[in-house]
Amino acid sequence: ISAKTPQVISVVAADTDNGDSYWSNGDTLTITFDSDTDTPPVATETEISRIMTFDPPLGTSYAGQWVTSSVLVITVDDTSHPDRDANNVDNITFAFTENVLATGQVFTNPYLYGVPSNNPHCVGTQVCGWNASSGSVGICSADQLSCRARGTYVITSG
């Protein structure tokens, strides 16, 4: 692996129309990385969920757009969801999905299948981009020569 893995430097929730003081339809989540990424597809909720998960969920409908190769903006179209308090964005976290091998097994253990690795997010087929056989998607460096981004982040109001 020769390229630097993109790191999240900020995650900010914003009310784009300043129409209210709580998480509502049309609000955005901006995720900024410290370097250019390979900008995997994020146009739909399904595409975003292949890359990252939210706890509790952002809502029932949202879409993303890469505004630059290092800035992803997710717009929430419908914040309603039975598993979250629609008025509270400060308790939402997101985490990158784990690497999924072509066999469908999630690779999180450094010694899974006898493969020694201190970087399980670097092991497997198509670590970067979309692995069609498993549905796994990783955000990597623009040249796709890095490990996939990983970690859990807290959303802050902006």
Side-chain angles (χ1 to χ4, degrees), residues 12-143:
V12 178
D15 183 1
T16 56
D17 65 2
N18 291 320
D20 49 48
S21 60
Y22 55 90
W23 193 236
S24 60
N25 299 348
D27 289 355
T28 62
L29 177 65
T30 301
I31 302 169
T32 304
F33 295 86
D34 66 347
S35 59
D36 291 341
T37 71
D38 58 347
T39 64
V42 293
T44 67
E45 181 181 348
T46 299
E47 290 175 340
I48 293 169
S49 68
R50 290 180 180 140
I51 300 169
M52 59 188 70
T53 58
F54 297 93
D55 183 29
L58 288 180
T60 56
S61 176
Y62 47 89
Q65 176 182 2
W66 290 98
V67 294
T68 71
S69 59
S70 63
V71 178
L72 170 61
V73 176
I74 299 171
T75 302
V76 181
D77 299 317
D78 185 350
T79 59
S80 65
H81 196 283
D83 296 333
R84 70 180 297 282
D85 174 1
N87 293 330
N88 190 353
V89 70
D90 293 326
N91 293 325
I92 297 176
T93 61
F94 86 88
F96 290 105
T97 56
E98 299 291 347
N99 190 9
V100 179
L101 301 176
T103 61
Q105 295 293 329
V106 176
F107 196 100
T108 58
N109 183 317
Y111 293 98
L112 186 65
Y113 304 115
V115 178
S117 173
N118 291 326
N119 299 305
H121 59 291
C122 298
V123 177
T125 58
Q126 296 179 316
V127 172
C128 300
W130 180 26
N131 181 345
S133 64
S134 69
S136 177
V137 178
I139 294 178
C140 297
S141 60
D143 60 10

